[in-house]
Amino acid sequence: MSQMLALVIIVFILFVGDFIAVRTKAWVPSIFIAAILFLLGYWTFFPTEIVSIAGIPPVVATMLMYLLITNMGTLLSLDELKQQWKTVLIALSGILGAIVILLSIGTLLFGIETVIVAIPPLVGGLVSALIMSEGAADAGLVSLSVFAIVVYVMQGFAGYPLTSFMLKKEGKRLLGLYRKGNLARKEMAATTETIDPEETELKLFKNLPKKYNTSYFKFFRLAVVSYLAYLVSTLLEPVVSISPLVLCLVFGVVATNVGFLEKQVLQKANGFGLAMLGLMLYILDGLKNATPSMMMDITFILIGSIVLGVAGMYIFSFIIGKILKVSKELAFAVSLTALYGFPADYIITNEVINSLSDNEEEKDVLTSHMLPPMLVGGFVTVTIVSVVLAGVLVEFL
């Protein structure tokens, strides 16, 4: 198979996944459709190395992962997280709940290695799934390497309907209060998931004419920060083992706050879409080792892990919600953002709001109370915590 034919086939599969996700308003995740089509391809006519043939070998995927995680760090604003401190605590408690239940009950049922591999992709996104998949493969755990990807592919099916149900209950409660005159519109704080953030001043380059801040200069600075994270990880190795990918996240935050990187630097360098394309293809490449019998073998473990993880999220978010005087419905919905993150959290919240009222003023009130915590929750869980978790837990494989 030629390189360009391989590229056409696998990118078309991603497009089909996106198309179906749009048609079903994200109720059928694009990654699920893409994974099914990849599996069918591997079981029929795909060359085993179709992703590498298309131009995304492991070394390229690793480079993209470094750049993407460092870019994630540029999104974090400590001021914005302070405004939603209750949401942050609830999101963290939900993840803690999933970890506690899985490490206790899950370990008894499935074994410690399975649970370690399951946790980061269950409470995170693409990057954490890839870290665990690679870690399991390096440890010679082929079936668990596939399992990490399958958990990431399937987690949304638990998260979407549960979140919608909880948000509808919360929305009806808020509408009842508003119609009785007991609820006002809340001023919406800027969130970390705002699509068009204002340009962050590059304090270290304030005298640099804007025309010199080219895409290559943005890529250069991003690569420098990523390399420093790798270098520090290597230097610390004799003392303590810290994943360079975790340090990429930390260094991205620091570099943005000191004015070395701007927010969303990869997007502004016009490289985010291609980087995500490469990383998505690489994680689907992990399914090449999945045989039909292997998929049957991990089905019970998959369902059990998701059920236990979601149960832990509910119990812990309910407790912290009671303490912080946040409704159990909103607290659970915020915790569930760990199963899908942005943009699904934005889409589901808006769908629910539109289904509850046709009155624009009522919609505005519901949006002001429900959207900010959902967006911040998704950012905290998927972008920050899951990457750190993956970097820590992968060392135990």
Side-chain angles (χ1 to χ4, degrees), residues 189-337:
T191 71
T192 51
E193 294 291 0
T194 303
I195 303 301
D196 296 313
E198 291 183 9
E199 185 78 24
T200 303
E201 183 185 7
L202 290 171
K203 299 171 191 173
L204 300 184
F205 303 99
K206 58 185 178 183
N207 295 323
L208 182 74
K210 225 177 171 183
K211 62 183 178 181
Y212 294 117
N213 190 15
T214 64
S215 294
Y216 291 133
F217 188 48
K218 292 182 176 73
F219 273 119
F220 168 71
R221 286 181 283 116
L222 192 61
V224 166
V225 175
S226 301
Y227 172 66
L228 289 175
Y230 167 79
L231 190 62
V232 170
S233 174
T234 304
L235 293 173
L236 290 175
E237 187 63 36
V239 182
V240 61
S241 181
I242 302 177
S243 169
L245 298 174
V246 173
L247 292 179
C248 279
L249 192 68
V250 175
F251 278 45
V253 174
V254 173
T256 306
N257 284 314
V258 301
F260 186 76
L261 293 177
E262 53 266 77
K263 278 193 174 186
Q264 296 187 323
V265 60
L266 196 55
Q267 286 90 326
K268 290 170 183 174
N270 300 311
F272 183 77
L274 188 60
M276 282 301 297
L277 170 69
L279 210 56
M280 188 68 77
L281 290 174
Y282 186 64
I283 196 169
L284 289 168
D285 179 55
L287 294 173
K288 66 189 176 188
N289 297 315
T291 62
S293 60
M294 183 190 292
M295 294 300 294
M296 292 297 293
D297 289 342
I298 65 176
T299 299
F300 171 71
I301 302 174
L302 171 69
I303 295 171
S305 298
I306 292 176
V307 169
L308 290 175
V310 170
M313 288 178 185
Y314 177 74
I315 293 168
F316 277 59
S317 65
F318 176 82
I319 294 170
I320 197 70
K322 278 282 188 186
I323 295 170
L324 297 176
K325 297 181 179 177
V326 175
S327 73
K328 64 179 182 293
E329 290 84 7
L330 183 59
F332 189 31
V334 166
S335 293
L336 287 169
T337 59

Side-chain angles (χ1 to χ4, degrees), residues 2-267:
S2 69
Q3 178 180 7
M4 294 314 297
L5 176 58
L7 183 63
V8 167
I9 291 172
I10 58 181
V11 174
F12 177 70
I13 286 175
L14 293 182
F15 164 69
V16 171
D18 267 355
F19 179 81
I20 292 176
V22 170
R23 293 289 293 177
T24 61
K25 296 180 179 178
W27 287 103
V28 178
S30 61
I31 184 65
F32 173 74
I33 300 298
I36 293 294
L37 294 175
F38 260 79
L39 278 174
L40 292 175
Y42 284 128
W43 294 345
T44 52
F45 70 96
F46 276 13
T48 308
E49 303 299 327
I50 188 171
V51 173
S52 292
I53 292 170
I56 312 293
V59 65
V60 172
T62 301
M63 178 265 292
L64 295 176
M65 196 153 43
Y66 272 89
L67 297 183
L68 278 165
I69 296 180
T70 306
N71 185 67
M72 281 181 182
T74 71
L75 293 168
L76 179 59
S77 166
L78 299 179
D79 290 334
E80 290 162 355
L81 292 182
K82 285 176 187 174
Q83 294 175 19
Q84 289 282 343
W85 64 272
K86 287 185 179 182
T87 299
V88 174
L89 288 180
I90 290 169
L92 293 176
S93 72
I95 289 180
L96 180 61
I99 293 171
V100 169
I101 298 297
L102 281 168
L103 283 178
S104 54
I105 301 173
T107 300
L108 292 174
L109 293 174
F110 312 126
I112 187 65
E113 286 180 336
T114 300
V115 169
I116 286 174
V117 170
I119 289 172
L122 181 62
V123 299
L126 175 68
V127 173
S128 54
L130 192 51
I131 292 172
M132 297 313 296
S133 180
E134 285 190 335
D138 291 342
L141 305 169
V142 178
S143 62
L144 289 183
S145 176
V146 173
F147 177 62
I149 297 170
V150 176
V151 170
Y152 168 67
V153 169
M154 298 300 295
Q155 61 183 348
F157 280 104
Y160 298 154
L162 275 174
T163 303
S164 181
F165 178 73
M166 289 296 149
L167 286 180
K168 280 180 180 176
K169 291 191 72 174
E170 173 68 3
K172 287 175 182 176
R173 185 186 72 84
L174 293 173
L175 274 180
L177 291 173
Y178 176 72
R179 288 166 181 170
K180 291 176 184 176
N182 297 326
L183 185 73
R185 182 188 185 280
K186 186 184 289 185
E187 285 301 313
M188 291 178 67
T191 71
T192 51
E193 294 291 0
T194 303
I195 303 301
D196 296 313
E198 291 183 9
E199 185 78 24
T200 303
E201 183 185 7
L202 290 171
K203 299 171 191 173
L204 300 184
F205 303 99
K206 58 185 178 183
N207 295 323
L208 182 74
K210 225 177 171 183
K211 62 183 178 181
Y212 294 117
N213 190 15
T214 64
S215 294
Y216 291 133
F217 188 48
K218 292 182 176 73
F219 273 119
F220 168 71
R221 286 181 283 116
L222 192 61
V224 166
V225 175
S226 301
Y227 172 66
L228 289 175
Y230 167 79
L231 190 62
V232 170
S233 174
T234 304
L235 293 173
L236 290 175
E237 187 63 36
V239 182
V240 61
S241 181
I242 302 177
S243 169
L245 298 174
V246 173
L247 292 179
C248 279
L249 192 68
V250 175
F251 278 45
V253 174
V254 173
T256 306
N257 284 314
V258 301
F260 186 76
L261 293 177
E262 53 266 77
K263 278 193 174 186
Q264 296 187 323
V265 60
L266 196 55
Q267 286 90 326

